Amino acid sequence: MTTELDSSLIADYLLDHPHFFEEHAELLSTVKLTSPVMGRAVSLQERQMEILREKIRVQELRMADLMRIAQENDEITSKFQAWSRALLLTRDAADLPRVLVDRLQEIFHVPQVTVRLWNLGPAHAGHWATQEVSDDARIFANGLSAPFCGPNKDFEAAGWLEDAASVKSVAMLPLRVGAAPEAFGLLVLGSPDPSRFTTDMGTDFLTRIGETGSAALACLLR
């Protein structure tokens, strides 16, 4: 009588007896497996080498991806530092909105950027950044707890940009003092590229821009 061996029992046996192939080394060269890489039968040793090479290749790709992400983050950090430095070097508070917008556009290569502010002190009543803003736009800004990114659906804020007709995607950042419930402004970034600002993109870095911009412009409030 013969007993049909279950493959799982064989696998368990080999796991429990790690020295099996040391005791039967001839099997390493005689057992043949089908190679998905080479398309032919190969020895157990050759198949093991293929598996190891594949694992190494996957690890190398993962490491390369991590290196790319680290490099991108380093570049973003450098740009953010340059932008923050420009704000800190601005001596006249009235110049802050223009410096914030122009340097943001230049350093981060954003096609269009603008800002609207309200509730500023009387001395800044005629400033270009305090142009009329509807109540709906203010309510929209107050309702943002994080930057809004997505397609331009004829938002009023997108209309503040210089070439509003060309804008296909926007990012809108509320400006507020700390955790205040009401915003005192809205920073708007626009692009003709529909994929530049998308609903599923990460907003952590944009949040930092909004917080830093808010801190810089808060000195204009009454």
Side-chain angles (χ1 to χ4, degrees):
M1 295 179 62
T2 59
T3 302
E4 184 177 348
L5 293 178
D6 184 86
S7 59
S8 61
L9 292 176
I10 298 174
D12 290 340
Y13 176 84
L14 293 175
L15 289 173
D16 292 337
H17 298 78
H19 301 297
F20 177 84
F21 284 108
E22 293 179 7
E23 299 170 356
H24 303 276
E26 72 280 359
L27 292 177
L28 293 176
S29 59
T30 57
V31 173
K32 298 296 182 181
L33 303 173
T34 301
S35 169
V37 177
M38 304 178 68
R40 60 179 177 80
V42 296
S43 69
L44 190 59
Q45 289 174 313
E46 290 175 305
R47 181 67 185 119
Q48 186 177 30
M49 289 300 298
E50 287 181 1
I51 294 174
L52 288 175
R53 291 192 191 99
E54 179 62 19
K55 287 183 178 180
I56 292 172
R57 188 185 69 84
V58 171
Q59 291 297 326
E60 288 177 342
L61 290 175
R62 185 175 300 173
M63 183 61 69
D65 193 46
L66 290 175
M67 291 293 290
R68 177 187 58 79
I69 293 173
Q71 185 176 23
E72 290 177 354
N73 288 339
D74 186 59
E75 292 175 357
I76 291 174
T77 299
S78 296
K79 290 178 180 179
F80 185 80
Q81 183 179 19
W83 178 67
S84 299
R85 183 174 183 275
L87 294 176
L88 290 171
L89 290 174
T90 303
R91 303 308 178 196
D92 190 340
D95 294 335
L96 280 170
R98 176 55 62 192
V99 172
L100 184 150
V101 166
D102 288 351
R103 296 294 283 162
L104 189 63
Q105 186 172 0
E106 174 189 346
I107 294 173
F108 292 97
H109 307 294
V110 182
Q112 298 189 61
V113 183
T114 194
V115 67
R116 288 293 183 273
L117 307 170
W118 48 88
N119 297 332
L120 300 191
H124 306 291
H127 199 283
W128 67 268
T130 63
Q131 297 178 48
E132 185 177 355
V133 176
S134 71
D135 290 339
D136 287 341
R138 297 190 186 199
I139 293 172
F140 176 79
N142 291 339
L144 291 177
S145 58
F148 169 90
C149 299
N152 178 20
K153 297 182 179 180
D154 296 325
F155 291 108
E156 175 186 335
W160 304 338
L161 295 166
E162 185 176 356
D163 185 12
S166 68
V167 176
K168 300 302 180 184
S169 63
V170 294
M172 294 181 281
L173 289 59
L175 302 174
R176 52 170 50 91
V177 178
E182 295 186 352
F184 68 85
L186 196 61
L187 180 60
V188 186
L189 291 68
S191 173
D193 181 0
S195 63
R196 178 67 185 270
F197 303 110
T198 60
T199 55
D200 59 349
M201 70 181 294
T203 59
D204 290 347
F205 186 68
L206 288 174
T207 296
R208 293 184 183 181
I209 288 179
E211 292 174 349
T212 302
S214 296
L217 297 173
C219 65
L220 303 176
L221 295 174
R222 58 191 176 201

